[in-house]
Amino acid sequence: MSFKKVVVAGGGVLGSQIAFQTAYSGFDVTIWLRSQGSIGRTKPKLEAVYKDYLAAIDLMASPEGKEKGNWCLGICEDPATFDAEKAKAQAEKAYASIKLELDMKKAFADADLVIESMSENKDAKIDFYKKAAPLLDAKTILVTNSSTMLPSTFAKYTGRPDKYLSLHFANEIWKNNTAEIMGQAKTDSKAYQEVVSFASDIHMIPLQLHKEKNGYLLNSMLVPFLLSALDLWATDVSDPKTIDTTWVRGTGAPKGPFAICDVVGMKTCDEIVSMFLKVPSFLAPYHFKEIHKRLQEMIAQNKLGVSSGEGFFKYK
């Protein structure tokens, strides 16, 4: 199957990025949203992503553009074929073409691929799958962008376990162009390979997992890293700026853990921490309750990260 229509369920930080990158790559893209309020929150996210693409394209066209960390492979893989004006036109077309839809039946009509990109809440995902299952065409492949939950948890609710698997993207998709692909016991190999091909078609590097693993590849490494930093902060060992400086200066990494948390967003960070609240203290070296309490305080103050202009650090 050659995908044409792609639906992204959820317009959060990653949902908006996935939709934009898919539209930038020439696909017909619709974002399904649950409420009018969701539309109001998604529109500025799409506008911000559009501006990020334009800024990235301008940087790529500059003398510094080909330096490590500046070239965005999700926008153009080969510097020899890069045309800044053409790339900007593609971004403008993508921004103008993405459709926002509240009616689930209309959104899913004739969809080749539906990408569930909702919050990391098990019950909310199950409710979504139960409602979506009878509305999907027989051809439709369904994937989850969950960063922590296994597809086998939800397969029985989808109505198509043979066409259900995980497709997980990294944040800032236009720069960090990876797509982790993970099936579950009932995933058909043909559906799996079609998703691998789709990932390549939207300029991602398909990272294929051979078995299910909580946290997949990226988050199996990233989550412990962020939790270690959050624990140092929550127990008053040090402050976010110092901790980030320690990591950046000590390893040469472009960002520290708290700058990463600001990009991921405080709500997502807290959802991940909340999953560990019932873990006995002797099984994990982190103070989850104190981390959760402090993240909740930040959320209450609307310090949500880059999206709100302030998180652990302030942004223009």
Side-chain angles (χ1 to χ4, degrees):
M1 179 193 296
S2 178
F3 296 152
K4 293 181 181 179
K5 180 179 177 179
V6 178
V7 179
V8 179
V13 173
L14 261 176
S16 298
Q17 292 181 23
I18 295 165
F20 199 96
Q21 180 66 29
T22 304
Y24 178 82
S25 302
F27 291 83
D28 175 4
V29 178
T30 296
I31 301 177
W32 173 78
L33 298 162
R34 287 180 289 189
S35 67
Q36 196 65 44
S38 296
I39 289 180
R41 292 186 290 273
T42 298
K43 284 184 175 179
K45 287 187 177 71
L46 286 172
E47 183 179 4
V49 174
Y50 173 49
K51 290 180 179 178
D52 284 335
Y53 273 65
L54 295 182
I57 292 166
D58 282 337
L59 178 59
M60 291 164 71
S62 72
E64 298 81 20
K66 294 181 179 63
E67 293 179 5
K68 184 179 180 181
N70 290 339
W71 191 261
C72 299
L73 291 169
I75 291 176
C76 180
E77 297 174 14
D78 184 2
T81 64
F82 178 62
D83 183 327
E85 293 307 312
K86 183 179 178 181
K88 285 185 178 181
Q90 274 183 250
E92 183 176 354
K93 183 178 179 181
Y95 181 54
S97 69
I98 296 172
K99 297 176 282 291
L100 306 182
E101 180 59 69
L102 296 177
D103 188 312
M104 188 178 280
K105 185 175 181 179
K106 288 182 180 179
F108 294 163
D110 201 36
D112 296 303
L113 176 69
V114 172
I115 303 172
E116 175 267 302
S117 185
M118 302 175 70
S119 63
E120 294 293 85
N121 181 296
K122 181 180 177 181
D123 292 338
K125 287 181 185 291
I126 290 174
D127 181 64
F128 166 77
Y129 290 131
K130 285 182 175 179
K131 291 177 179 176
L135 303 176
L136 298 173
D137 288 354
K139 68 174 181 177
T140 307
I141 292 176
L142 178 61
V143 300
T144 178
N145 180 54
S146 174
S147 58
T148 57
M149 299 181 187
L150 299 177
S152 58
T153 304
F154 306 104
K156 66 182 179 181
Y157 303 107
T158 65
R160 60 196 60 236
D162 59 322
K163 294 181 179 178
Y164 177 66
L165 60 155
S166 294
L167 177 64
H168 178 246
F169 297 90
N171 207 6
E172 296 189 339
I173 190 172
W174 59 95
K175 289 197 297 185
N176 306 318
N177 66 322
T178 61
E180 296 177 280
I181 302 161
M182 181 172 71
Q184 36 83 27
K186 295 184 178 180
T187 303
D188 182 78
S189 59
K190 182 180 178 183
Y192 186 99
Q193 289 305 320
E194 286 176 342
V195 173
V196 170
S197 296
F198 169 73
S200 295
D201 289 342
I202 61 169
H203 311 293
M204 298 293 107
I205 299 170
L207 304 175
Q208 300 182 51
L209 280 76
H210 306 306
K211 59 187 292 187
E212 282 192 309
K213 168 68 171 69
N214 288 99
Y216 307 59
L217 299 175
L218 177 61
N219 283 310
S220 289
M221 298 179 280
L222 178 62
V223 170
F225 166 61
L226 296 181
L227 287 176
S228 295
L230 288 166
D231 192 71
L232 291 171
W233 163 65
T235 55
D236 297 317
V237 173
S238 192
D239 58 273
K241 183 178 179 181
T242 301
I243 296 168
D244 270 22
T245 299
T246 301
W247 184 258
V248 171
R249 295 287 183 173
T251 67
K255 289 182 179 179
F258 289 97
I260 293 173
C261 284
D262 278 352
V263 172
V264 171
M266 230 51 62
K267 290 183 178 180
T268 298
C269 288
D270 190 51
E271 286 170 354
I272 293 170
V273 170
S274 296
M275 294 172 63
F276 297 99
L277 288 176
K278 294 182 179 180
V279 174
S281 58
F282 66 86
L283 291 178
Y286 308 116
H287 298 77
F288 293 117
K289 290 182 180 179
E290 185 60 31
I291 297 172
H292 172 64
K293 176 185 173 183
R294 294 204 180 190
L295 289 175
Q296 283 287 300
E297 290 172 353
M298 293 184 69
I299 291 169
Q301 297 170 35
N302 200 41
K303 294 181 179 180
L304 306 180
V306 175
S307 64
S308 68
E310 183 177 359
F312 289 105
F313 306 109
K314 291 185 178 181
Y315 304 87
K316 293 182 181 179

